[in-house]
Amino acid sequence: IPVQGQILRGYNTADAAGVARPGVIIATRPRAIVTSPTPATILYRGPLLDYGNVMIVEPTADVMFIFAGLAEVFGDVGEIIPASAPLGLLGGSSPQTDGEVTSNDQINSGGQSQTLYLEVRDGQSAVNPAEWFALQ
């Protein structure tokens, strides 16, 4: 997946308000780097409605990966990026300066205060991101 973390809400799962969204929400640490899982073309980068900064990339014709909730975004529209290229940073301030959060114990101990929304669109339809990503 594009950021190390834990799935908080799955595809089309309703939130506390009963709203189901066609993507997943991943909890992660503050200032986590979101990377492109595959080579892709940047279609959009910047603010979008109330989603914060959004990055939309196209890994193949008519397929889009949408990443929302970023504090900062990198790259330029039209740029072709390689796999693992940084797309942006999540917000917050990281109290940990000696290294990254790497174990599930650290992840589950409250170190994850930021969320990334991930949606995959094939043509005009949203599809389950699990078809493209190893979501565990």
Side-chain angles (χ1 to χ4, degrees):
I1 61 176
V3 67
Q4 182 180 357
Q6 182 176 38
I7 304 299
L8 284 184
R9 190 163 297 114
Y11 174 72
N12 274 340
T13 302
D15 62 15
V19 177
R21 300 194 194 287
V24 297
I25 296 178
I26 304 167
T28 190
R29 64 183 173 78
R31 305 299 293 165
I33 296 174
V34 178
T35 60
S36 179
T38 184
T41 302
I42 298 175
L43 298 181
Y44 179 84
R45 67 175 287 266
L48 184 65
L49 302 173
D50 61 348
Y51 292 104
N53 280 318
V54 173
M55 180 69 82
I56 301 175
V57 300
E58 184 180 46
T60 187
D62 293 325
V63 173
M64 292 183 288
F65 296 160
I66 302 164
F67 305 97
L70 299 161
E72 298 176 41
V73 288
F74 309 132
D76 295 310
V77 172
E79 181 179 355
I80 298 171
I81 55 172
S84 300
L87 298 174
L89 287 174
L90 290 165
S93 59
S94 180
Q96 188 170 3
T97 58
D98 292 342
E100 294 185 16
V101 174
T102 56
S103 74
N104 283 339
D105 289 340
Q106 288 172 306
I107 289 170
N108 295 328
S109 68
Q112 293 191 311
S113 62
Q114 298 297 310
T115 57
L116 175 73
Y117 177 75
L118 168 62
E119 183 175 318
V120 176
R121 298 192 72 77
D122 190 349
Q124 297 297 315
S125 303
V127 297
N128 189 340
E131 293 179 22
W132 287 85
F133 298 93
L135 302 176
Q136 323 243 351

